Amino acid sequence: MNPFRFIHVADLHLDSKFIGMKGLSDHIRQHLRESTFNALRQLIEIAIVEKVDFIVVSGDVYDAADSSLRAHLAIQAAFEELGRHGIHIYVIHGNHDPLDGPRLQIRNDDHVHVFGPEVESVIARRRLDQQEVAVVSGISYPTSKVTENMALKFHRDEKLSLFHIGILHANVDGDLIHETYSPCTRKELEASGYDYWALGHIHMRRVIQEYPHIVYAGNIQGRSVKEIGPKGCYVVDVSEVASVQLTFHELDQVRWLIEKISIDGIHDIDEWRMRVEEQVESIRSQLPDRMSIVRWIITGRSSIHRELESGHIAEELEQELRRREIVRAEKDQFGGLVWSESMSLQSGIEIDRAELILEDHFLGELLRLADKIEADTDLSKELLDKALSPLMNNREIRLLVNESTAEEKQEWLERAGELGAVLLLNEIGEGGRSV
Ligand SMILES: [Mn+2]
């Protein structure tokens, strides 16, 4: 067979709004709003530079069914430019941009194929000599909520010895973080006889398996702290003997990071501040061409925890760090910008836990309970439900709680334990062990 090269990209979410970010200047907010469009421009550039034969787009081109005109025009312009380079595009729609949305439709063109609500197959050709190289099959979401198993509709055309690519927006093997639209299993995809499954929907990049390849390209631009790390697309090389090689290319202009900073061994707030600042500069030098958005997690144990817990020091430092970045951004220096998204305190006081846990006071009891919770998920769930139930009548809190992961909830409990320990230790310090 003829070797060829294509791009697998998914979940462009053009014109995503980056909601819920605090303290941004208009200038920086504007830069964030541009980031999905900038990532699209990077995609076009890589397609041209890497001389790919075609691109497959695995759904969620737009962020919302009522997507903006700007997003629509950007995708049209991008596809036109690819067309001028002879690069074909095969697109499906996903749950964020289903076929029944009010948005302007992506135009089917000589070089753009938009798949409909039933599985269709088309022949993809090599750009330079028009040799047939692959069968590309795909299906779009007719509406936003597709609960049937679409993978079962794909069957390899045995008459064609070409490489088979299936484009699908689906949740494989029940990923619980994403909605279980178009649920299917790895085994079902494997059984279809396709050589490469170009998947969309799950925003985390992942090669589920090789030969046949089952691949999530991930989204092209992280949009929240749940989408950390490099985001981009795969350039896929298929050789004469159908061996497959994936090369990841970063497209994102704004990078989300979670950075842990330990207070172990730090006994002075100024020293802590300098450690945070050093970390800011280290990120700046590691990502000089991008804006980074950082969630700081303060860990470890030392005497400064009480100050961090009781005062506004962390908040003030966060504001100061943001102020400095706003000044940089005013000079249009978005490359190397390091934005502090939030500072989460997961540190604790220095305590002789081994000794205190044996003591016959509330603190000893609290520490014993904290240990039990860590080992017993049922107990931790029970305690959490009980503690949260008075708050659940509030709609916003309820939404927040329902959106939070089990891991986040576990963190709340740990944090409550630490806060309780600080408060009880104060009591013990003042009134002896009478509590
Ligand atoms: Mn998506």
Side-chain angles (χ1 to χ4, degrees), residues 10-13 58-63 94-96 169 178-179 200-203 218-219 223 227:
D11 298 275
L12 281 63
H13 286 265
S58 309
D60 286 1
V61 172
Y62 300 122
D63 190 50
N95 57 304
H96 279 268
H169 200 77
H178 292 73
E179 291 115 326
H201 188 48
I202 308 291
H203 288 184
N219 53 344
R223 300 166 309 145
E227 299 179 348

Side-chain angles (χ1 to χ4, degrees), residues 189-229:
L189 295 177
E190 207 180 323
S192 67
Y194 277 66
D195 300 296
Y196 187 102
W197 278 100
L199 301 175
H201 188 48
I202 308 291
H203 288 184
M204 199 198 290
R205 182 175 72 255
R206 189 174 158 215
V207 178
I208 294 179
Q209 74 162 51
E210 297 185 330
Y211 302 105
H213 280 68
I214 301 177
V215 180
Y216 279 111
N219 53 344
I220 63 169
Q221 171 59 63
R223 300 166 309 145
S224 79
V225 75
K226 288 178 182 165
E227 299 179 348
I228 53 171

Side-chain angles (χ1 to χ4, degrees), residues 286-382:
Q286 283 165 38
L287 294 166
D289 302 324
R290 289 181 166 76
M291 172 178 173
S292 337
I293 305 181
V294 188
R295 174 165 296 182
W296 304 102
I297 296 184
I298 311 301
T299 62
R301 293 187 177 279
S302 93
S303 55
I304 67 163
H305 172 76
R306 276 168 197 256
E307 285 171 81
L308 292 175
E309 180 73 82
S310 55
H312 299 285
I313 289 161
E315 211 178 305
E316 282 171 23
L317 178 59
E318 190 181 274
Q319 277 167 12
E320 172 59 19
L321 294 176
R322 285 179 183 168
R323 195 191 58 76
R324 292 176 196 169
E325 301 304 311
I326 285 171
V327 172
R328 285 183 78 92
E330 275 162 12
K331 296 178 213 145
D332 273 328
Q333 290 177 356
F334 291 107
L337 202 77
V338 181
W339 184 259
S340 297
E341 184 255 1
S342 68
M343 213 170 256
S344 160
L345 221 53
Q346 292 177 16
S347 52
I349 40 172
E350 242 173 352
I351 49 171
D352 189 345
R353 207 183 157 89
E355 189 188 315
L356 286 169
I357 204 163
L358 301 171
E359 297 268 345
D360 183 25
H361 47 47
F362 276 178
L363 179 54
E365 183 67 26
L366 178 80
L367 293 175
R368 285 191 289 277
L369 181 63
D371 277 6
K372 254 200 239 166
I373 289 170
E374 214 171 305
D376 185 344
T377 42
D378 285 343
L379 178 66
S380 92
K381 190 178 175 319
E382 187 191 318

